[in-house]
């Protein structure tokens, strides 16, 4: 599905971005399609390919009720969306580094000796990061995946709304995750639009760009 994005007018995917206030509550997204969209989203760039993004898809009424008091001003999106996608950054993402690089070797994308050299350099480097440094890395990478997910969701015929206003100190534990390891990055509501908010505007490129 992601390959088809290249054949579309980019404006059809990105322009006219609006803040969705309500979704069609009758629309459900299958696990198969949700996993397909997440898989496509994870083709986003990742520093040394450590892929720190982690996803929790909140779709049942019971779990949405648990999420509701934690999202402050976006309860309507929570109530009506097909799902709320919680995106976390894994502060110990390097623990899967060997799996990632082994897969690259198995698929013929990297020689074994390069894998060994890369892992010998990268894993100790990541382990020596301060908490602040690792926090920056996982949030940057996970934000790239979040943006990619939004574009892919639209290509699949859905709308999304990024949500940054939530109780970040409570989100991980509320869904059974170690809050010291998994850093909340963003929540995305997803579904078929029923009630649109305002269409947002952007400053002109000339106003925010300098050429040196």
């Amino acid at each position: 599905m992601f390959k088809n994005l290249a054949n579309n007018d980019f404006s059809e995917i990105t322009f006219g971005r609006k803040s969705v206030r309500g979704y069609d509550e009758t629309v459900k997204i299958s696990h198969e399609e949700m996993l397909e969209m997440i898989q496509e989203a994870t083709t986003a760039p990742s520093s040394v390919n450590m892929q720190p993004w982690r996803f929790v898809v909140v779709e049942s009424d019971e779990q949405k009720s648990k999420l509701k008091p934690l999202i402050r001003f976006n309860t309507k999106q929570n109530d009506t969306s097909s799902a709320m996608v919680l995106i976390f950054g894994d502060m110990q993402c390097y623990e899967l580094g060997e799996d990632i690089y082994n897969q690259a070797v198995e698929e013929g994308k990297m020689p074994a000796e390069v894998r060994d050299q890369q892992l010998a350099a990268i894993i100790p480097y990541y382990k020596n990061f301060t908490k602040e440094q690792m926090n920056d890395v996982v949030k940057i990478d996970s934000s790239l995946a979040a943006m990619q997910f939004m574009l892919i969701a639209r290509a699949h015929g859905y709308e999304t709304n990024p949500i940054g206003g939530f109780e970040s100190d409570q989100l991980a534990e509320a869904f059974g995750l170690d809050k010291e390891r998994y850093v909340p990055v963003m929540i995305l509501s997803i579904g078929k639009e029923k009630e649109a908010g305002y269409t947002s505007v952007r400053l002109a490129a000339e106003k925010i760009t300098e050429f040196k």
Side-chain angles (χ1 to χ4, degrees):
M1 182 66 186
F2 182 59
K3 293 179 180 178
N4 293 336
L5 276 174
N7 300 322
N8 292 335
D9 181 350
F10 189 61
S11 65
E12 293 179 5
I13 303 298
T14 61
F15 293 175
R17 169 63 59 189
K18 48 188 175 291
S19 178
V20 178
R21 298 304 181 194
Y23 296 92
D24 184 343
E25 298 176 60
T26 66
V27 175
K28 304 299 179 185
I29 300 174
S30 69
H31 288 187
E32 181 182 24
E33 186 175 19
M34 183 65 75
L35 288 171
E36 181 183 352
M37 288 189 289
I38 290 173
Q39 189 71 65
E40 291 166 351
T42 61
T43 61
S46 172
S47 179
V48 297
N49 201 23
M50 282 297 104
Q51 305 174 36
W53 41 67
R54 304 290 182 260
F55 301 84
V56 175
V57 180
V58 179
E59 58 182 0
S60 69
D61 291 341
E62 177 186 0
Q63 296 301 307
K64 280 188 172 186
S65 295
K66 184 185 295 185
L67 179 61
K68 191 170 184 175
L70 304 180
I71 53 174
R72 301 177 185 173
F73 315 113
N74 300 283
T75 56
K76 188 166 187 178
Q77 288 94 321
N78 182 65
D79 292 343
T80 62
S81 64
S82 299
M84 302 289 280
V85 181
L86 318 185
I87 301 176
F88 295 88
D90 183 355
M91 298 282 279
Q92 297 175 27
C93 57
Y94 50 81
E95 291 187 354
L96 292 179
E98 191 171 337
D99 291 346
I100 293 167
Y101 278 68
N102 284 343
Q103 182 178 336
V105 172
E106 291 167 4
E107 295 182 6
K109 297 175 181 177
M110 176 182 291
E113 58 271 21
V114 173
R115 171 201 59 198
D116 295 342
Q117 292 168 1
Q118 295 270 15
L119 288 174
I122 291 168
I123 302 303
Y125 184 67
Y126 262 52
K127 285 184 176 180
N128 286 327
F129 274 170
T130 65
K131 185 175 182 179
E132 291 73 21
Q133 288 173 320
M134 183 61 80
N135 185 72
D136 288 345
V137 168
V138 302
K139 283 190 172 180
I140 289 170
D141 281 12
S142 299
S143 294
L144 289 169
M147 184 70 248
Q148 186 125 306
F149 181 89
M150 293 174 71
L151 296 174
I152 286 163
R154 178 166 280 193
H156 277 249
Y158 301 108
E159 291 293 339
T160 57
N161 190 24
I163 297 169
F166 54 84
E167 305 299 334
S168 59
D169 60 330
Q170 301 176 47
L171 194 66
E173 282 190 317
F175 292 92
L177 301 178
D178 178 356
K179 69 176 182 179
E180 297 301 321
R181 175 167 180 168
Y182 297 100
V183 178
V185 176
M186 192 180 305
I187 299 175
L188 298 175
S189 60
I190 181 171
K192 289 285 187 179
E193 177 191 324
K194 184 176 182 180
E195 179 186 342
Y198 54 86
T199 300
S200 57
V201 300
R202 294 293 184 268
L203 295 171
E206 293 83 356
K207 192 166 185 176
I208 59 171
T209 306
E210 292 185 17
F211 293 94
K212 301 293 188 180

